[in-house]
Amino acid sequence: MGNEKKLSGISWQDFKELPLAEKGEYFQAPPCHTLIAQQFSRAQLEELCALATKIRRISKRREGSNFLRTLLSDHRAMLYFAQPSSRTYLSFSSACKLLGLSTIDVRDSKTSSEVKGESPEDTIRTFSSYADMIIMRHPVGGFAERVAWMLSNTNRPIPVLNAGSGADQHPTQALLDIYTLERSFEKIGGIDGKSVAFVGDLARGRTVRSLAWLLTLYTDVKVYFVAPEQLQIGADVLELLDAAGMEYEVTQDFAAVMPKSDALYMTRIQDEWDVEGESTTIDTASFCINEEHLDVLKETAVIMHPLPRRKEISTDIDNDPRAMYWRQMRNGMWARAALILTTFDRQDEVNEYYADYDK
Ligand code: NCD
């Protein structure tokens, strides 16, 4: 596999200008960064989902958990979260512990030497001296890519996993969303042929941008983008979907979309990106779901949300069997454990263990 593309073989300028689909080719060889949704193939997603399920089942038994903890006990992960996070941080940190990785973290750049004027690149390079992998969330779009390129060009080229960058990418959330959809539709033909509605702040929600792309890898999926005009999905995303030949509809009519959808992917208003509080002037009342709407939903539909939620999903529906957001969150831990194991190319050990495992 000597002809695989590597970040150490391209200048930052040339790499930065590549289209997303081509960038992904640079993350397949070690150190196997995970930076953008566009780097995954359907086969890779299917393998990761299958591995997540094996890890989930193996961890149910004590001897299984003990086995999993031996797998990466010689590795250390750095969790660098320069933006608020509960679920992503906790699920990555739990996934690391599940596999025996020890973790160190910086969750507030004010506590790192960045306040002394150190460049973010130098800060990360410092982190890399103490870790075998960096899991990072950063407010600047594309910064994870920059870091991955920089580390790939040092003598410690360790993998970078993007745990959310700016308003542009959240590839591991998209991975756990795919895992949730796959599990939810397991008995009704999988993700192929399903309709997925994205609802809420689609202009600034990075989870939607990443997941919408992954859905192009499935056959005959139809997507609805349901949002007030000011918060509609960006033209750049639609261009990618057009190029992939995906069928979609851009609409404000949530009531019409509800009964047609197999999955509703609700999102909150991302007002942290407001310049002058413009979100407060947008009426989002008709982009919410509550008990009154349940009757029109398909019986097999699922309601998802990357969380945190605000008013877009009423707590009244939390106990409906179609409310999938809490299970979706837990799926994050299994999907991220599968990704970490694959990053270090240790998945075969789980596959072998599982083959002999008394299911
Ligand atoms: C999302 C994020 O950070 O982009 N949260 C998450 O990772 N589960 C969604 C959000 O903050 O709205």
Side-chain angles (χ1 to χ4, degrees):
M1 297 217 260
N3 57 357
E4 275 171 322
K5 293 183 175 167
K6 288 188 160 222
L7 283 179
S8 52
I10 184 169
S11 74
W12 170 245
Q13 208 53 37
D14 286 349
F15 174 74
K16 200 171 76 164
E17 277 155 27
L18 288 177
L20 284 170
E22 283 177 43
K23 281 185 176 172
E25 295 171 27
Y26 287 82
F27 316 140
Q28 308 299 326
C32 300
H33 305 291
T34 296
L35 300 172
I36 56 175
Q38 285 75 10
Q39 73 185 77
F40 291 113
S41 66
R42 176 163 177 168
Q44 284 172 324
L45 292 180
E46 284 172 359
E47 265 172 49
L48 286 166
C49 289
L51 186 62
T53 293
K54 291 175 190 171
I55 293 172
R56 179 163 58 81
R57 294 196 179 137
I58 291 171
S59 77
K60 287 209 171 104
R61 296 220 196 107
R62 186 179 185 150
E63 74 268 21
S65 296
N66 288 342
F67 158 73
L68 290 171
R69 267 199 302 279
T70 62
L71 292 172
L72 293 172
S73 56
D74 52 343
H75 287 62
R76 290 158 301 174
M78 168 85 213
L79 293 150
Y80 173 49
F81 277 65
Q83 257 189 321
S85 176
S86 307
R87 277 148 288 270
T88 307
Y89 172 80
L90 287 173
S91 74
F92 262 122
S93 140
S94 305
C96 286
K97 292 193 174 75
L98 204 72
L99 301 171
L101 276 121
S102 52
T103 57
I104 40 178
D105 56 17
V106 169
R107 295 200 63 184
D108 180 355
S109 13
K110 288 193 207 78
T111 66
S112 87
S113 281
E114 280 175 87
V115 286
K116 298 184 195 166
E118 186 173 54
S119 72
E121 284 86 354
D122 276 8
T123 302
I124 303 270
R125 193 161 176 181
T126 304
F127 295 162
S128 77
S129 310
Y130 303 105
D132 304 296
M133 169 172 73
I134 293 183
I135 299 165
M136 63 176 284
R137 168 170 285 197
H138 203 274
V140 177
F143 185 62
E145 284 178 30
R146 165 89 197 158
V147 163
W149 178 86
M150 188 264 294
L151 290 177
S152 289
N153 285 284
T154 66
N155 57 5
R156 249 188 97 63
I158 62 173
V160 176
L161 306 194
N162 179 2
S165 58
D168 64 335
Q169 287 273 355
H170 199 344
T172 67
Q173 176 72 40
L175 177 64
L176 76 93
D177 293 338
I178 287 289
Y179 184 45
T180 302
L181 289 166
E182 210 184 270
R183 285 187 73 188
S184 303
F185 301 146
E186 205 174 4
K187 296 199 175 82
I188 53 168
I191 299 174
D192 292 329
K194 300 295 185 292
S195 297
V196 180
F198 290 104
V199 188
D201 189 342
L202 313 183
R204 304 176 291 186
R206 55 194 174 194
T207 67
V208 170
R209 298 172 64 86
S210 288
L211 179 57
W213 172 260
L214 289 191
L215 290 173
T216 67
L217 302 176
Y218 294 80
T219 315
D220 294 332
V221 170
K222 163 124 197 215
V223 166
Y224 297 97
F225 293 108
V226 189
E229 211 183 327
Q230 305 92 313
L231 301 178
Q232 252 314 347
I233 192 77
D236 59 332
V237 176
L238 296 182
E239 245 169 62
L240 290 173
L241 303 189
D242 282 335
M246 176 180 248
E247 199 191 330
Y248 62 81
E249 213 176 294
V250 178
T251 174
Q252 298 200 30
D253 192 351
F254 190 24
V257 166
M258 269 190 225
K260 295 192 271 192
S261 303
D262 296 295
L264 294 176
Y265 193 97
M266 308 298 294
T267 64
R268 72 175 170 92
I269 301 297
Q270 307 275 323
D271 47 13
E272 64 269 41
W273 302 105
D274 276 5
V275 183
E276 305 178 317
E278 52 273 27
S279 294
T280 52
T281 63
I282 303 172
D283 182 8
T284 54
S286 51
F287 303 91
C288 298
I289 182 163
N290 61 41
E291 228 168 4
E292 283 167 34
H293 302 116
L294 290 179
D295 283 350
V296 307
L297 292 191
K298 289 186 187 179
E299 213 163 304
T300 52
V302 288
I303 305 162
M304 294 168 62
H305 195 306
L307 301 174
R309 74 171 148 188
R310 293 196 189 156
K311 285 186 253 156
E312 57 281 355
I313 299 184
S314 160
T315 53
D316 296 351
I317 70 171
D318 282 358
N319 292 327
D320 189 275
R322 292 165 291 188
M324 202 51 65
Y325 26 96
W326 296 111
R327 225 175 305 166
Q328 177 187 358
M329 181 174 88
R330 203 166 151 76
N331 281 339
M333 182 170 69
W334 312 120
R336 288 176 170 128
L339 180 69
I340 293 169
L341 205 55
T342 308
T343 299
F344 291 113
D345 199 20
R346 300 289 289 272
Q347 63 280 15
D348 288 351
E349 284 159 73
V350 166
N351 290 330
E352 279 158 29
Y353 185 93
Y354 191 76
D356 296 329
Y357 184 71
D358 184 9
K359 292 135 200 153

